[in-house]
Amino acid sequence: MKNLVQTGLVLGMIFLYTNLSGQSLSTGSAEQKTYLDFFISAVGTNLNYGSSNSTLADYKKSAQGIQVGLSLQTSIAPNLSLVPELSFIMRGGKLKVNNPYVQDEYTLRFYTVEIPVLVRVHLGKFHLNAGPALDYNFTGTQKLDGSTTHLSFDNEIGGFKRLETGIQFGGGLTFKIKQKRAVLDIRYCYGLTNVSYDKEVYNRSLLIRLNISK
């Protein structure tokens, strides 16, 4: 079921990209345009364990994932854009063996649909952006001592929450590659919601993305 959902999401995004991507629509000024970009990027993610985070700091390891989605940049004022996005992202984190949390080596994974809405300030070729994000964890897994199980999203001990909120902030650079528009965007995603029903677990992600369009 998980693979089917992921495949459907990716195919749907590719379909939208094929029909809409690469368009540059005038909004009344030569400098004010709307861009729709399709992106695939690598993601470095980790988990914050709230009051136990400092105790677990020496045992924490990042988890590598991917992000696939659509980004729409539309001008709302001179040097100011609104950037809503829709993406699928793999998030989570790892703990080394002998950790005080679960003792054994532990990997927690979330498979998430993410919808941030950012305000982007343009400073010449550079930009700064920040805004809220709404996430829906449609499935997930945990691997404990070599055994992998699916996460429960029921309100119970060991269960996790599907909906979470967060904020994203960062900056980047727009430049040309062989007459094509390229955008380098570096962003930190700070989860505000404790996604566990019986412990403290917060998602954290660092996104480094390069979009290239016509």
Side-chain angles (χ1 to χ4, degrees), residues 118-134:
L118 309 177
V119 173
R120 177 168 290 172
V121 179
H122 300 272
L123 306 169
K125 294 182 179 181
F126 296 93
H127 68 262
L128 300 173
N129 40 231
L134 178 65

Side-chain angles (χ1 to χ4, degrees), residues 19-212:
N19 286 273
L20 298 175
S21 171
Q23 297 183 37
S24 176
L25 306 176
S26 174
T27 59
S29 168
E31 297 181 354
Q32 297 183 25
K33 295 181 180 181
T34 295
Y35 295 98
L36 179 64
D37 297 319
F38 173 77
F39 59 84
I40 300 176
S41 58
V43 181
T45 71
N46 216 320
L47 297 171
N48 182 285
Y49 296 90
S51 58
S52 301
N53 198 61
S54 58
T55 304
L56 293 169
D58 292 336
Y59 300 92
K60 291 171 56 176
K61 295 173 61 179
S62 62
Q64 304 306 309
I66 62 169
Q67 186 184 34
V68 181
L70 293 170
S71 178
L72 177 67
Q73 176 183 295
T74 180
S75 176
I76 55 176
N79 302 319
L80 193 65
S81 296
L82 190 66
V83 186
E85 296 181 342
L86 172 65
S87 69
F88 160 76
I89 184 171
M90 296 169 56
R91 303 181 298 171
K94 300 179 180 181
L95 291 174
K96 301 176 185 177
V97 68
N98 296 324
N99 68 82
Y101 190 67
V102 290
Q103 297 301 311
D104 296 313
E105 188 175 63
Y106 182 63
T107 302
L108 184 62
R109 283 281 194 184
F110 295 97
Y111 300 89
T112 306
V113 173
E114 186 170 71
I115 306 175
V117 179
L118 309 177
V119 173
R120 177 168 290 172
V121 179
H122 300 272
L123 306 169
K125 294 182 179 181
F126 296 93
H127 68 262
L128 300 173
N129 40 231
L134 178 65
D135 301 322
Y136 181 79
N137 300 313
F138 62 86
T139 189
T141 60
Q142 57 184 354
K143 185 177 181 180
L144 183 62
D145 195 27
S147 178
T148 301
T149 58
H150 286 279
L151 298 182
S152 168
F153 288 95
D154 295 324
N155 188 350
E156 60 186 14
I157 295 177
F160 292 87
K161 302 171 186 177
R162 291 193 185 276
L163 283 175
E164 61 175 302
T165 58
I167 55 175
Q168 299 187 6
F169 51 90
L173 172 69
T174 300
F175 55 98
K176 293 286 187 179
I177 297 180
K178 294 182 178 180
Q179 304 306 312
K180 292 187 177 181
R181 169 182 168 272
V183 180
L184 174 66
D185 191 62
I186 302 174
R187 194 182 308 170
Y188 188 70
C189 308
Y190 186 94
L192 298 174
T193 303
N194 177 11
V195 295
S196 172
Y197 281 109
D198 64 328
K199 300 180 180 67
E200 286 187 278
V201 180
Y202 298 86
N203 276 298
R204 303 284 192 263
S205 304
L206 177 65
L207 312 180
I208 302 177
R209 181 191 306 165
L210 180 64
N211 302 346
I212 300 177

